[in-house]
Amino acid sequence: MKKIVLLALFPVFLIITKTHAQVGIGTATPNGSAQLDVTSTSRGFLPPRMTALQRAAITSPSTGLLVYQTNEVSGLYYYTGSLWTIINASPCGYAIGQYNASLGGYIFYLDQSGCHGLVAATTDQNTGIQWYAGTFTYTTAFGSAVGAGEGNTNMIVYNQSGTLATYAAGICYNLNTGGFSDWYLPSKYELNLMYMNIGQGAAPNTNVGGFENNFYWSSSEFNSSNAWGQFFSTGVQAYYGKNSGPPIRAIRAF
């Protein structure tokens, strides 16, 4: 009697396994090409929502992983296998993290139109350069927001004068690379966007822009003796003496 029961149960078990090879939510007949088929005419699919820092903290993300980022440049992000990039809804074909030769470098910021933003040069312009041209002064380069870097750079160059190749803003101001000559030293917030979107903050062990684990200068002045920068190893922003010598990375707007 026991043997008959076992034989009867065995094929039932196989049928159950086959039936649950696909999962349908809102449908009893999942599409044959889908492992998961969610069907609805009144509700949508809601992926995990998190901040940029929370996204960056995901350990060993799998290729194709999808999340919705709620701050910075908000939107649906997926992991390509080497970096996080926003799903491109731009009518101009641009995306965060994209290398675009026609723009001169790596896109790290897009405005709401998706057609304008900021690009970082492909390499550091100097491995270690002072912020000032040799004189501690107030340059009034206090801008910190997106769009402030260019004005800061111009004010620093006007104030410090000197040989452009001897200080951070001067090098960026005088740079001609990627087919463009309108580069400048990023503001404090522009520098943070660069760290978050194409630097070490973009994802664990991801560094699209090839940045050093070092402190980078911004163009935002703190006072006559110090200026703001950011550690690309940790993301911490701090101010240092203008006579210090960290690396720099120029940016441009498009």
Side-chain angles (χ1 to χ4, degrees), residues 56-245:
I58 295 174
T59 303
S60 301
S62 296
T63 301
L65 191 67
L66 182 71
V67 301
Y68 184 85
Q69 183 173 303
T70 57
N71 67 340
E72 303 286 358
V73 182
S74 61
L76 280 170
Y77 281 74
Y78 71 98
Y79 192 66
T80 67
S82 60
L83 74 148
W84 286 98
T85 187
I86 193 167
I87 291 179
N88 186 17
S90 168
C92 301
Y94 301 139
I96 300 294
Q98 177 188 79
Y99 169 71
N100 192 304
S102 66
L103 298 176
Y106 294 102
I107 298 173
F108 68 94
Y109 169 75
L110 288 171
D111 67 9
Q112 290 187 347
S113 74
C115 294
H116 300 283
L118 297 173
V119 168
T122 57
T123 59
D124 292 344
Q125 277 57 68
N126 199 292
T127 57
I129 191 71
Q130 58 194 18
W131 194 90
Y132 72 160
T135 305
F136 287 118
T137 63
Y138 272 109
T139 67
T140 68
F142 298 127
S144 61
V146 171
E150 184 174 18
N152 284 347
T153 299
N154 290 337
M155 284 189 284
I156 295 165
V157 170
Y158 177 80
N159 177 276
Q160 292 289 287
S161 194
T163 304
L164 295 177
T166 62
Y167 61 104
I171 290 174
C172 296
Y173 180 85
N174 201 41
L175 182 64
N176 192 328
T177 188
F180 297 94
S181 58
D182 57 349
W183 300 92
Y184 54 88
L185 191 63
S187 70
K188 182 181 176 184
Y189 189 64
E190 289 168 337
L191 186 64
N192 185 60
L193 286 174
M194 191 156 59
Y195 165 78
M196 289 299 302
N197 291 330
I198 62 171
Q200 285 88 329
N205 304 315
T206 299
N207 184 0
V208 179
F211 296 92
E212 294 183 24
N213 286 323
N214 207 332
F215 183 82
Y216 278 78
W217 277 132
S218 83
S219 61
S220 302
E221 185 175 70
F222 179 75
N223 58 26
S224 62
S225 303
N226 300 278
W228 286 99
Q230 186 160 2
F231 288 97
F232 269 51
S233 56
T234 62
V236 172
Q237 291 195 322
Y239 57 86
Y240 269 76
K242 293 177 180 178
N243 56 348
S244 303

Side-chain angles (χ1 to χ4, degrees), residues 13-61:
F13 173 76
L14 290 178
I15 292 171
I16 292 171
T17 303
K18 185 176 181 181
T19 302
H20 288 83
Q22 292 176 272
V23 177
I25 299 176
T27 177
T29 55
N31 186 284
S33 64
Q35 186 69 21
L36 172 64
D37 185 350
V38 182
T39 302
S40 176
T41 57
S42 59
R43 296 172 179 162
F45 172 72
L46 194 61
R49 290 141 291 165
M50 60 190 71
T51 66
L53 283 174
Q54 290 168 332
R55 169 181 60 75
I58 295 174
T59 303
S60 301

